[in-house]
Coordinates of all heavy atoms in Angstrom, one line a residue:
V1 N -9.0 59.1 -4.6 CA -10.3 59.0 -5.1 C -10.2 59.4 -6.7 O -9.8 60.4 -7.1 CB -11.4 60.0 -4.4 CG1 -12.7 59.9 -5.1 CG2 -11.4 59.7 -3.0
I2 N -10.8 58.4 -7.5 CA -10.9 58.7 -8.9 C -12.1 59.5 -9.2 O -13.2 59.2 -8.7 CB -10.9 57.4 -9.7 CG1 -9.7 56.5 -9.4 CG2 -11.2 57.6 -11.2 CD1 -9.8 55.1 -10.0
R3 N -12.0 60.6 -9.8 CA -13.1 61.5 -10.2 C -13.1 61.6 -11.7 O -12.1 62.0 -12.3 CB -12.8 62.9 -9.6 CG -12.8 62.9 -8.0 CD -12.6 64.3 -7.5 NE -12.2 64.2 -6.1 CZ -13.0 63.9 -5.1 NH1 -14.2 63.7 -5.3 NH2 -12.5 63.9 -3.8
V4 N -14.3 61.4 -12.3 CA -14.5 61.3 -13.7 C -15.2 62.6 -14.2 O -16.3 62.9 -13.8 CB -15.3 60.1 -14.1 CG1 -15.4 60.1 -15.6 CG2 -14.6 58.8 -13.6
F5 N -14.5 63.5 -14.9 CA -15.0 64.7 -15.4 C -15.6 65.6 -14.3 O -16.7 66.2 -14.5 CB -16.1 64.5 -16.5 CG -15.6 63.7 -17.7 CD1 -16.1 62.4 -17.9 CD2 -14.7 64.2 -18.6 CE1 -15.7 61.6 -18.9 CE2 -14.2 63.4 -19.7 CZ -14.7 62.1 -19.8
P6 N -14.8 65.9 -13.2 CA -15.5 66.7 -12.2 C -15.7 68.1 -12.6 O -16.7 68.7 -12.0 CB -14.4 66.6 -11.1 CG -13.1 66.4 -11.8 CD -13.5 65.5 -13.0
L7 N -15.0 68.7 -13.5 CA -15.2 70.1 -13.7 C -15.3 70.3 -15.3 O -15.1 71.4 -15.8 CB -14.0 70.9 -13.3 CG -13.8 70.9 -11.7 CD1 -12.5 71.6 -11.4 CD2 -14.9 71.5 -11.0
W8 N -15.7 69.3 -16.0 CA -15.8 69.4 -17.5 C -17.0 70.3 -17.9 O -18.0 70.2 -17.2 CB -15.9 68.0 -18.1 CG -15.7 68.1 -19.6 CD1 -16.7 68.1 -20.6 CD2 -14.5 68.3 -20.2 NE1 -16.1 68.2 -21.8 CE2 -14.7 68.3 -21.6 CE3 -13.2 68.4 -19.8 CZ2 -13.8 68.5 -22.6 CZ3 -12.2 68.5 -20.8 CH2 -12.5 68.6 -22.2
P9 N -16.8 71.3 -18.8 CA -18.0 72.0 -19.3 C -19.1 71.2 -19.8 O -18.9 70.3 -20.7 CB -17.4 72.9 -20.4 CG -15.9 72.8 -20.3 CD -15.6 71.5 -19.6
T10 N -20.3 71.4 -19.4 CA -21.4 70.6 -19.8 C -21.8 70.7 -21.3 O -22.6 69.9 -21.7 CB -22.7 70.9 -18.9 OG1 -23.0 72.3 -19.1 CG2 -22.4 70.6 -17.4
D11 N -21.3 71.7 -22.0 CA -21.7 71.8 -23.3 C -20.7 71.2 -24.3 O -20.8 71.3 -25.5 CB -21.9 73.3 -23.7 CG -20.6 74.2 -23.5 OD1 -19.7 73.7 -22.7 OD2 -20.5 75.2 -24.2
K12 N -19.6 70.5 -23.8 CA -18.7 69.9 -24.6 C -18.6 68.4 -24.4 O -18.5 67.9 -23.3 CB -17.3 70.5 -24.3 CG -17.3 72.0 -24.6 CD -15.8 72.5 -24.6 CE -15.8 73.9 -24.8 NZ -16.3 74.4 -26.0
D13 N -18.7 67.6 -25.5 CA -18.7 66.2 -25.4 C -17.2 65.7 -25.5 O -16.4 66.3 -26.2 CB -19.5 65.5 -26.6 CG -20.9 65.7 -26.4 OD1 -21.4 66.3 -25.3 OD2 -21.7 65.5 -27.4
V14 N -16.8 64.7 -24.8 CA -15.4 64.2 -24.9 C -15.4 62.7 -24.3 O -16.3 62.3 -23.6 CB -14.5 65.2 -24.0 CG1 -14.9 65.0 -22.5 CG2 -13.0 64.9 -24.2
S15 N -14.3 62.1 -24.6 CA -14.1 60.8 -24.0 C -12.6 60.5 -23.9 O -11.8 61.2 -24.5 CB -14.7 59.7 -24.9 OG -14.1 59.6 -26.2
F16 N -12.2 59.5 -23.1 CA -10.8 59.2 -22.9 C -10.8 57.7 -22.7 O -11.7 57.1 -22.2 CB -10.1 59.9 -21.8 CG -10.7 59.7 -20.5 CD1 -10.3 58.7 -19.7 CD2 -11.6 60.6 -19.9 CE1 -10.7 58.5 -18.4 CE2 -12.0 60.5 -18.6 CZ -11.6 59.4 -17.9
E17 N -9.6 57.1 -23.0 CA -9.5 55.7 -22.8 C -8.2 55.4 -22.1 O -7.1 56.0 -22.5 CB -9.5 54.9 -24.2 CG -10.8 54.9 -24.9 CD -10.8 54.0 -26.1 OE1 -10.0 53.2 -26.2 OE2 -11.7 54.3 -26.9
Q18 N -8.2 54.5 -21.1 CA -7.0 54.1 -20.4 C -6.2 55.2 -19.8 O -4.9 55.1 -19.9 CB -6.2 53.1 -21.3 CG -7.0 51.9 -21.6 CD -6.2 50.9 -22.3 OE1 -5.1 51.1 -22.8 NE2 -6.6 49.6 -22.3
L19 N -6.8 56.2 -19.2 CA -6.2 57.2 -18.5 C -5.6 56.6 -17.2 O -6.5 56.0 -16.4 CB -7.1 58.4 -18.2 CG -6.5 59.6 -17.5 CD1 -5.5 60.3 -18.4 CD2 -7.5 60.6 -17.1
R20 N -4.4 56.7 -16.9 CA -3.8 56.1 -15.7 C -4.3 56.9 -14.5 O -4.1 58.1 -14.4 CB -2.3 56.0 -15.8 CG -1.7 55.3 -14.6 CD -0.2 54.9 -14.9 NE 0.0 54.2 -16.0 CZ -0.1 52.9 -16.1 NH1 -0.6 52.2 -15.1 NH2 0.1 52.2 -17.2
A21 N -4.7 56.2 -13.5 CA -5.1 56.7 -12.2 C -4.2 56.1 -11.1 O -3.7 55.0 -11.2 CB -6.6 56.5 -11.9
E22 N -4.1 56.9 -10.0 CA -3.4 56.4 -8.8 C -3.9 55.1 -8.3 O -5.1 54.9 -8.3 CB -3.3 57.4 -7.8 CG -2.4 57.2 -6.6 CD -2.3 58.3 -5.6 OE1 -2.8 59.4 -5.9 OE2 -1.9 58.0 -4.5
G23 N -3.1 54.2 -8.0 CA -3.5 52.9 -7.5 C -3.4 51.8 -8.6 O -3.8 50.7 -8.4
A24 N -2.7 52.1 -9.7 CA -2.6 51.2 -10.8 C -3.9 50.8 -11.5 O -4.2 49.7 -11.7 CB -1.8 50.0 -10.4
F25 N -4.6 51.9 -11.9 CA -5.9 51.7 -12.6 C -5.8 52.4 -14.0 O -5.3 53.5 -14.0 CB -7.1 52.3 -11.8 CG -7.3 51.6 -10.5 CD1 -7.0 52.3 -9.3 CD2 -7.8 50.3 -10.4 CE1 -7.1 51.7 -8.1 CE2 -7.9 49.6 -9.2 CZ -7.6 50.4 -8.0
L26 N -6.4 51.8 -15.0 CA -6.6 52.4 -16.3 C -8.1 52.7 -16.4 O -9.0 51.8 -16.4 CB -6.1 51.6 -17.4 CG -4.6 51.2 -17.3 CD1 -4.2 50.2 -18.5 CD2 -3.8 52.5 -17.4
V27 N -8.5 54.0 -16.5 CA -9.9 54.4 -16.6 C -10.3 54.8 -18.0 O -9.5 55.6 -18.6 CB -10.1 55.5 -15.5 CG1 -11.6 55.9 -15.5 CG2 -9.6 55.1 -14.2
S28 N -11.5 54.5 -18.4 CA -12.0 54.9 -19.7 C -13.4 55.4 -19.4 O -14.2 54.8 -18.7 CB -12.1 53.8 -20.7 OG -10.8 53.3 -21.0
A29 N -13.8 56.6 -20.0 CA -15.1 57.2 -19.8 C -15.4 58.1 -20.9 O -14.6 58.6 -21.7 CB -15.2 57.9 -18.5
S30 N -16.7 58.4 -21.0 CA -17.3 59.4 -22.0 C -18.2 60.4 -21.3 O -18.8 60.1 -20.3 CB -18.1 58.7 -23.1 OG -17.3 57.8 -23.8
F31 N -18.2 61.6 -21.9 CA -19.1 62.7 -21.4 C -19.8 63.2 -22.6 O -19.3 63.6 -23.5 CB -18.2 63.8 -20.8 CG -19.0 64.9 -20.1 CD1 -19.2 64.7 -18.7 CD2 -19.5 66.0 -20.7 CE1 -19.9 65.7 -18.0 CE2 -20.2 66.9 -20.1 CZ -20.4 66.8 -18.8
A32 N -21.2 63.1 -22.5 CA -22.0 63.5 -23.7 C -23.3 64.0 -23.2 O -23.8 63.6 -22.2 CB -22.2 62.4 -24.6
G33 N -23.8 65.1 -23.8 CA -25.1 65.7 -23.4 C -25.2 66.2 -22.1 O -26.2 66.2 -21.4
G34 N -24.1 66.7 -21.5 CA -24.0 67.3 -20.3 C -23.8 66.4 -19.1 O -23.9 66.9 -17.9
A35 N -23.5 65.1 -19.3 CA -23.4 64.1 -18.2 C -22.4 63.1 -18.6 O -22.0 62.8 -19.8 CB -24.7 63.5 -17.9
V36 N -21.9 62.4 -17.6 CA -21.0 61.3 -17.8 C -21.9 60.1 -18.3 O -23.0 59.8 -17.8 CB -20.3 60.8 -16.4 CG1 -19.6 59.5 -16.6 CG2 -19.5 61.9 -15.8
A37 N -21.4 59.5 -19.4 CA -22.1 58.4 -20.0 C -22.0 57.2 -19.2 O -21.0 57.0 -18.6 CB -21.6 58.2 -21.5
E38 N -23.0 56.3 -19.2 CA -23.0 55.1 -18.5 C -21.9 54.2 -19.0 O -21.7 54.2 -20.2 CB -24.3 54.4 -18.5 CG -24.4 53.2 -17.6 CD -25.8 52.7 -17.5 OE1 -26.8 53.3 -17.9 OE2 -25.9 51.5 -17.0
G39 N -21.4 53.4 -18.2 CA -20.3 52.5 -18.7 C -18.9 52.9 -18.5 O -18.0 52.7 -19.3
V40 N -18.6 53.6 -17.3 CA -17.2 53.9 -17.0 C -16.5 52.6 -16.7 O -17.0 51.8 -15.9 CB -17.2 54.8 -15.7 CG1 -15.7 55.1 -15.2 CG2 -17.9 56.1 -16.0
T41 N -15.3 52.4 -17.4 CA -14.6 51.1 -17.0 C -13.3 51.5 -16.3 O -12.7 52.5 -16.6 CB -14.3 50.4 -18.4 OG1 -13.5 51.2 -19.2 CG2 -15.5 50.0 -19.1
I42 N -13.0 50.5 -15.5 CA -11.7 50.7 -14.7 C -11.0 49.3 -14.7 O -11.5 48.3 -14.3 CB -12.1 51.0 -13.2 CG1 -12.8 52.3 -13.2 CG2 -10.8 51.0 -12.4 CD1 -13.4 52.7 -11.8
F43 N -9.8 49.3 -15.3 CA -9.0 48.1 -15.4 C -8.0 48.1 -14.3 O -7.2 49.2 -14.1 CB -8.2 48.1 -16.7 CG -7.3 46.8 -16.8 CD1 -7.8 45.6 -17.1 CD2 -5.9 47.0 -16.6 CE1 -6.9 44.5 -17.1 CE2 -5.0 45.9 -16.7 CZ -5.6 44.7 -17.0
S44 N -8.0 47.1 -13.4 CA -7.1 47.0 -12.3 C -5.8 46.3 -12.7 O -5.8 45.1 -13.1 CB -7.7 46.3 -11.1 OG -6.9 46.1 -10.0
E45 N -4.7 47.0 -12.6 CA -3.4 46.5 -13.0 C -2.7 45.7 -11.8 O -2.0 44.7 -12.0 CB -2.4 47.5 -13.4 CG -2.7 48.1 -14.7 CD -1.7 49.2 -15.2 OE1 -1.4 50.1 -14.4 OE2 -1.2 49.0 -16.3
A46 N -3.1 46.1 -10.6 CA -2.4 45.5 -9.4 C -3.3 44.9 -8.3 O -2.8 44.3 -7.4 CB -1.5 46.7 -8.7
G47 N -4.6 45.0 -8.6 CA -5.5 44.4 -7.5 C -5.7 45.2 -6.3 O -6.0 44.6 -5.2
A48 N -5.5 46.5 -6.3 CA -5.7 47.4 -5.2 C -7.2 47.7 -5.0 O -8.0 47.5 -5.9 CB -4.9 48.7 -5.3
A49 N -7.5 48.2 -3.8 CA -8.9 48.7 -3.6 C -9.1 49.9 -4.4 O -8.2 50.8 -4.5 CB -9.1 49.0 -2.1
C50 N -10.3 50.1 -5.0 CA -10.6 51.3 -5.9 C -11.6 52.1 -5.1 O -12.6 51.7 -4.6 CB -11.2 50.8 -7.2 SG -11.6 52.1 -8.3
T51 N -11.3 53.4 -5.1 CA -12.2 54.4 -4.6 C -12.6 55.4 -5.7 O -11.8 56.0 -6.3 CB -11.6 55.1 -3.4 OG1 -11.1 54.1 -2.4 CG2 -12.6 56.1 -2.7
L52 N -13.9 55.5 -5.9 CA -14.4 56.3 -7.0 C -15.5 57.3 -6.5 O -16.4 56.9 -5.8 CB -15.1 55.4 -8.1 CG -15.8 55.9 -9.2 CD1 -14.9 56.6 -10.2 CD2 -16.6 54.9 -9.9
A53 N -15.4 58.5 -6.9 CA -16.5 59.5 -6.7 C -17.6 59.1 -7.6 O -17.4 58.9 -8.9 CB -16.0 60.9 -6.9
K54 N -18.8 59.0 -7.1 CA -20.0 58.5 -8.0 C -20.1 59.6 -9.1 O -20.2 60.8 -8.9 CB -21.2 58.5 -7.1 CG -21.2 57.4 -6.2 CD -22.4 57.4 -5.2 CE -23.8 57.5 -5.9 NZ -25.0 57.4 -5.1
P55 N -20.1 59.1 -10.3 CA -20.3 60.0 -11.5 C -21.7 60.4 -11.8 O -22.0 61.3 -12.6 CB -19.7 59.2 -12.7 CG -19.8 57.8 -12.2 CD -19.7 57.7 -10.8
W56 N -22.7 59.8 -11.0 CA -24.1 60.1 -11.2 C -24.8 60.2 -9.9 O -24.3 59.5 -8.9 CB -24.9 59.1 -12.0 CG -24.2 58.7 -13.3 CD1 -24.2 59.3 -14.5 CD2 -23.3 57.5 -13.5 NE1 -23.5 58.6 -15.4 CE2 -22.9 57.5 -14.7 CE3 -23.0 56.5 -12.6 CZ2 -22.1 56.5 -15.3 CZ3 -22.2 55.4 -13.2 CH2 -21.8 55.5 -14.5
A57 N -25.8 60.9 -9.8 CA -26.7 60.9 -8.6 C -27.4 59.6 -8.6 O -27.7 59.0 -9.6 CB -27.7 62.0 -8.5
G58 N -27.8 59.1 -7.4 CA -28.6 57.9 -7.2 C -27.8 56.6 -7.2 O -26.5 56.7 -7.1
A59 N -28.4 55.5 -7.3 CA -27.8 54.2 -7.2 C -27.0 53.9 -8.5 O -27.2 54.4 -9.5 CB -28.8 53.1 -7.0
L60 N -25.9 53.0 -8.2 CA -25.1 52.6 -9.3 C -24.8 51.1 -9.1 O -25.1 50.5 -8.1 CB -23.8 53.3 -9.4 CG -22.8 53.5 -8.3 CD1 -22.0 52.2 -8.2 CD2 -22.0 54.7 -8.4
T61 N -24.3 50.5 -10.2 CA -23.9 49.1 -10.2 C -22.5 49.0 -10.6 O -22.0 49.8 -11.4 CB -24.7 48.2 -11.1 OG1 -24.5 48.7 -12.5 CG2 -26.2 48.3 -10.8
I62 N -21.8 47.9 -10.1 CA -20.5 47.6 -10.6 C -20.4 46.1 -10.9 O -20.9 45.3 -10.1 CB -19.4 48.0 -9.4 CG1 -19.5 49.4 -9.0 CG2 -18.0 47.6 -9.9 CD1 -18.7 49.8 -7.8
T63 N -19.9 45.9 -12.1 CA -19.8 44.5 -12.5 C -18.3 44.2 -13.0 O -17.6 45.1 -13.4 CB -20.7 44.2 -13.7 OG1 -20.5 45.0 -14.8 CG2 -22.2 44.2 -13.3
D64 N -17.9 42.9 -12.9 CA -16.6 42.6 -13.4 C -16.7 42.2 -14.9 O -17.8 42.2 -15.4 CB -15.9 41.6 -12.6 CG -16.6 40.2 -12.5 OD1 -17.5 40.0 -13.4 OD2 -16.4 39.4 -11.6
D65 N -15.5 41.8 -15.5 CA -15.6 41.6 -16.9 C -16.3 40.3 -17.2 O -16.6 39.9 -18.4 CB -14.2 41.6 -17.5 CG -13.1 40.8 -16.8 OD1 -13.5 40.0 -15.9 OD2 -11.9 41.0 -17.1
A66 N -16.7 39.5 -16.3 CA -17.5 38.3 -16.4 C -19.0 38.6 -16.3 O -19.8 37.7 -16.4 CB -17.0 37.2 -15.5
G67 N -19.3 39.8 -16.0 CA -20.7 40.2 -15.8 C -21.2 40.0 -14.4 O -22.4 40.3 -14.1
A68 N -20.4 39.6 -13.4 CA -20.8 39.4 -12.0 C -20.9 40.7 -11.3 O -20.0 41.5 -11.4 CB -19.9 38.4 -11.3
A69 N -21.9 40.8 -10.5 CA -22.0 42.0 -9.6 C -20.9 42.0 -8.6 O -20.4 41.0 -8.1 CB -23.3 42.0 -8.9
V70 N -20.3 43.2 -8.4 CA -19.2 43.4 -7.5 C -19.8 44.2 -6.2 O -20.4 45.2 -6.4 CB -18.1 44.3 -8.1 CG1 -17.0 44.6 -7.2 CG2 -17.6 43.4 -9.3
A71 N -19.5 43.7 -5.0 CA -19.9 44.4 -3.9 C -19.1 45.6 -3.6 O -17.9 45.6 -4.0 CB -19.8 43.4 -2.6
F72 N -19.7 46.7 -3.1 CA -19.0 47.9 -2.9 C -19.6 48.5 -1.6 O -20.7 48.3 -1.3 CB -19.1 48.8 -4.1 CG -20.5 49.2 -4.5 CD1 -21.1 50.4 -3.9 CD2 -21.2 48.5 -5.4 CE1 -22.4 50.8 -4.3 CE2 -22.4 48.9 -5.8 CZ -23.0 50.0 -5.2
E73 N -18.8 49.4 -1.0 CA -19.3 50.3 0.1 C -19.4 51.7 -0.4 O -18.6 52.2 -1.1 CB -18.2 50.2 1.2 CG -18.1 48.8 1.8 CD -17.1 48.7 2.9 OE1 -16.7 49.8 3.5 OE2 -16.7 47.7 3.3
A74 N -20.5 52.3 0.1 CA -20.7 53.7 -0.3 C -20.7 54.6 0.9 O -21.3 54.1 2.0 CB -22.1 53.8 -1.0
E75 N -20.1 55.7 0.9 CA -20.1 56.6 1.9 C -20.3 58.0 1.3 O -19.3 58.6 0.7 CB -18.8 56.6 2.7 CG -18.8 57.5 4.0 CD -17.7 57.4 4.8 OE1 -17.2 56.3 5.0 OE2 -17.2 58.5 5.3
G76 N -21.5 58.6 1.4 CA -21.8 59.8 0.7 C -21.7 59.6 -0.8 O -22.4 58.7 -1.3
D77 N -21.0 60.4 -1.5 CA -20.8 60.3 -2.9 C -19.6 59.5 -3.4 O -19.2 59.7 -4.5 CB -20.8 61.7 -3.5 CG -22.1 62.4 -3.5 OD1 -23.2 61.7 -3.4 OD2 -22.2 63.6 -3.6
V78 N -19.0 58.7 -2.5 CA -17.8 57.9 -2.8 C -18.1 56.5 -2.6 O -18.7 56.1 -1.6 CB -16.6 58.4 -1.9 CG1 -15.4 57.5 -2.2 CG2 -16.3 59.9 -2.2
V79 N -17.6 55.6 -3.5 CA -17.8 54.2 -3.4 C -16.4 53.6 -3.4 O -15.5 54.1 -4.1 CB -18.7 53.5 -4.5 CG1 -20.1 54.1 -4.4 CG2 -18.1 53.8 -5.9
S80 N -16.3 52.5 -2.7 CA -15.0 51.7 -2.7 C -15.3 50.3 -2.9 O -16.3 49.7 -2.4 CB -14.3 51.9 -1.3 OG -14.0 53.2 -1.1
F81 N -14.4 49.6 -3.6 CA -14.6 48.2 -3.9 C -13.2 47.5 -4.1 O -12.3 48.1 -4.5 CB -15.5 47.9 -5.1 CG -15.0 48.5 -6.4 CD1 -14.4 47.7 -7.3 CD2 -15.3 49.8 -6.7 CE1 -14.0 48.3 -8.6 CE2 -15.0 50.4 -7.9 CZ -14.2 49.6 -8.8
A82 N -13.2 46.2 -3.8 CA -12.0 45.4 -3.9 C -11.8 45.1 -5.4 O -12.8 44.8 -6.1 CB -12.0 44.2 -3.1
T83 N -10.6 45.0 -5.9 CA -10.3 44.6 -7.3 C -9.3 43.4 -7.3 O -8.6 43.2 -6.4 CB -9.8 45.7 -8.2 OG1 -8.4 46.1 -7.8 CG2 -10.7 47.0 -8.0
T84 N -9.3 42.8 -8.5 CA -8.4 41.7 -8.8 C -7.5 42.2 -10.0 O -8.0 42.7 -10.9 CB -9.1 40.4 -9.1 OG1 -10.0 40.1 -8.0 CG2 -8.1 39.3 -9.5
A85 N -6.2 42.0 -9.9 CA -5.3 42.3 -10.9 C -5.7 41.7 -12.3 O -6.1 40.5 -12.2 CB -3.9 42.0 -10.6
G86 N -5.8 42.5 -13.4 CA -6.1 42.0 -14.6 C -7.6 41.9 -15.0 O -8.0 41.5 -16.1
V87 N -8.4 42.5 -14.1 CA -9.8 42.5 -14.3 C -10.4 43.9 -14.6 O -9.8 44.8 -14.0 CB -10.6 41.9 -13.1 CG1 -12.1 42.0 -13.2 CG2 -10.2 40.4 -12.9
T88 N -11.3 43.9 -15.6 CA -12.0 45.2 -15.9 C -13.3 45.3 -15.2 O -14.1 44.3 -15.2 CB -12.1 45.4 -17.3 OG1 -10.9 45.3 -18.1 CG2 -12.9 46.7 -17.8
Y89 N -13.6 46.4 -14.6 CA -14.8 46.7 -13.9 C -15.6 47.8 -14.6 O -15.0 48.7 -15.1 CB -14.5 47.1 -12.4 CG -13.8 46.0 -11.7 CD1 -12.4 46.0 -11.7 CD2 -14.5 45.1 -10.9 CE1 -11.7 45.0 -11.1 CE2 -13.9 44.0 -10.3 CZ -12.5 44.0 -10.4 OH -11.8 43.0 -9.7
T90 N -16.9 47.6 -14.7 CA -17.8 48.5 -15.4 C -18.7 49.2 -14.3 O -19.4 48.4 -13.6 CB -18.6 47.9 -16.5 OG1 -17.6 47.4 -17.4 CG2 -19.4 48.9 -17.3
V91 N -18.8 50.4 -14.3 CA -19.7 51.2 -13.3 C -20.8 51.7 -14.2 O -20.6 52.4 -15.2 CB -18.9 52.4 -12.6 CG1 -19.8 53.0 -11.7 CG2 -17.6 51.8 -11.9
G92 N -22.0 51.5 -13.7 CA -23.2 52.0 -14.5 C -24.2 52.4 -13.5 O -24.2 52.2 -12.3
Q93 N -25.3 53.0 -14.0 CA -26.4 53.5 -13.2 C -27.3 52.3 -13.0 O -27.6 51.5 -13.8 CB -27.2 54.6 -14.0 CG -26.4 55.9 -14.1 CD -27.1 57.0 -14.9 OE1 -27.5 56.7 -16.0 NE2 -27.3 58.1 -14.3
A94 N -27.9 52.3 -11.8 CA -28.8 51.2 -11.4 C -30.2 51.5 -11.9 O -30.6 52.6 -12.2 CB -28.8 51.0 -9.9

């Protein structure tokens, strides 16, 4: 499960780009104002299924790099979705 800033201090802003995650994913995200900023991106190198701990409470959206909505399954605070190798996915708040 990819977790974005799970224990980061809420008073410190930070960002990272292309941090390698298990499953052949490159993840980029920002944390500002005490929360994960909208627009977490996940680049799929191998086309594996991606499992992500929701970075926000409430509903979210996932789109591919063409802007098309991506179907996902949610179980509690974790979402899973199929990926295609070479495609970047953007996770945002609904």
